[in-house]
Amino acid sequence: MIDGKKVLFSGMQATGTLTLGNYLGALKNWVTLSEEYECFYSVVDLHSITVRQEPAELRKRARNLLTLYLAAGLDPQKNCIYYQSHVSGHAELSWILNCFTYMGELNRMTQFKDKAAKHADNINAGLFTYPVLMAADILLYQTDMVPVGVDQMQHLEITRDIAQRFNAIYGDVFTIPEAYIGKAGAKIMSLQNPQKKMSKSDENPNASIYLMDEPDVILRKFKRAVTDSEGQILYREEQPGIRNLLDIYCACTEKNPQEAVKEFEGKGYGELKEAVGETVVSLLKPVQDEFARLSKDKSYLDSIIKENAQKANYYATKTLRKVQKKVGFPERIR
Ligand code: TRP
């Protein structure tokens, strides 16, 4: 608890260009959650180097991502928006937690297996202990709630296991975090293959809407979206392409599928694609404009980055000192 509010933590990696899926599935909800919780939203750059990065590129993308957090509407006075690498406590706690995590547990992580297969030439120890760093992120702020997608559930489970194990030995040190499973429906699929999740790493640029796509590009991608030959706009499993378009429409407008189906009754696929495209364009426009504005304001961004890193460090150090004392490290002489 901070100032009577429950603590929420989440983070994103600055790899690839963010998609509409990232926005509707995460960022947009973060803004809503920030009204109720004391939120820490991190750009998790320590995690990024588990795969090889071009340094200048990583720095640029990380700054763009942080700017995007703000452009999406997260108030940096109310939320703590910061780079993970600016708070050394993440790495320090991660080391300690490594000593409370078993090889066997980490071996079971499906994301590790996937990534190891994908980067067979660089299966480094950081990739293996990635979930421990994630546990440190979460536990460092005595987090109550973690909004995560299904792909991160296993990592949240191991975080809870590590925290419980530590608490069982040393007393109540960590708050045990819970998953925040958001409202259903915000899982956005590829526009070219609606069986597959919309991904920032898809090679086909027509498969994803990128947050910074120009309006005409967005409209064109929707026009080319894969549908079917049924010719009816219904919300059902047999029509995954149409269902995805309706899901996107609903996530943007906060309508439910039944309302959307009714709205498009008797209309053609062309009209649906255009309407969804227009809706997405107008949803993203203010975010894009604000991103452009903020990007030019270097000194403002720098001051936000500095202040928020200080705030994060304050809370992180509180937990870290407690943990260091518990495990038997000597007190610091001041
Ligand atoms: N691993 C997460 C992802 O790739 C990002 C992340 C890092 C995270 N630390 C976190 C998410 C802590 C939630 C909480 O999506």
Side-chain angles (χ1 to χ4, degrees), residues 224-257:
R224 290 187 188 161
V226 169
T227 52
D228 54 58
S229 51
E230 304 263 336
Q232 276 202 83
I233 300 174
L234 293 173
Y235 189 81
R236 51 189 198 138
E237 228 167 283
E238 295 80 7
Q239 294 178 259
I242 294 296
R243 192 175 57 172
N244 189 37
L245 292 175
L246 291 169
D247 274 335
I248 294 172
Y249 185 73
C250 290
C252 293
T253 56
E254 279 162 30
K255 290 181 181 164
N256 64 45

Side-chain angles (χ1 to χ4, degrees), residues 204-304:
N204 183 348
N206 287 321
S208 311
I209 302 290
Y210 300 113
L211 288 190
M212 292 303 147
D213 276 349
E214 300 277 343
D216 58 321
V217 175
I218 296 176
L219 294 175
R220 177 158 37 84
K221 286 181 179 177
F222 275 108
K223 209 171 273 172
R224 290 187 188 161
V226 169
T227 52
D228 54 58
S229 51
E230 304 263 336
Q232 276 202 83
I233 300 174
L234 293 173
Y235 189 81
R236 51 189 198 138
E237 228 167 283
E238 295 80 7
Q239 294 178 259
I242 294 296
R243 192 175 57 172
N244 189 37
L245 292 175
L246 291 169
D247 274 335
I248 294 172
Y249 185 73
C250 290
C252 293
T253 56
E254 279 162 30
K255 290 181 181 164
N256 64 45
Q258 290 83 333
E259 288 173 295
V261 167
K262 196 131 188 257
E263 213 175 307
F264 291 107
E265 209 178 280
K267 301 219 165 115
Y269 286 2
E271 280 169 287
L272 173 68
K273 289 175 173 184
E274 201 178 309
V276 178
E278 298 284 2
T279 306
V280 169
V281 166
S282 49
L283 184 77
L284 295 185
K285 185 79 170 63
V287 180
Q288 295 177 338
D289 290 349
E290 184 64 359
F291 180 87
R293 194 185 69 78
L294 285 167
S295 298
K296 280 185 230 136
D297 201 343
K298 183 171 185 303
S299 63
Y300 170 74
L301 273 181
D302 286 346
S303 70
I304 294 299

Side-chain angles (χ1 to χ4, degrees), residues 9-13 44 47 84 111 115 130 133-134 137-138 146-148 151-152 155:
F9 185 97
S10 202
M12 265 189 226
Q13 285 202 53
V44 292
H47 280 105
Q84 186 186 30
Q111 189 175 75
K115 287 195 179 174
Y130 179 115
L133 178 58
M134 193 163 146
D137 298 344
I138 296 167
V146 186
V148 280
D151 62 323
Q152 295 297 316
H155 291 164

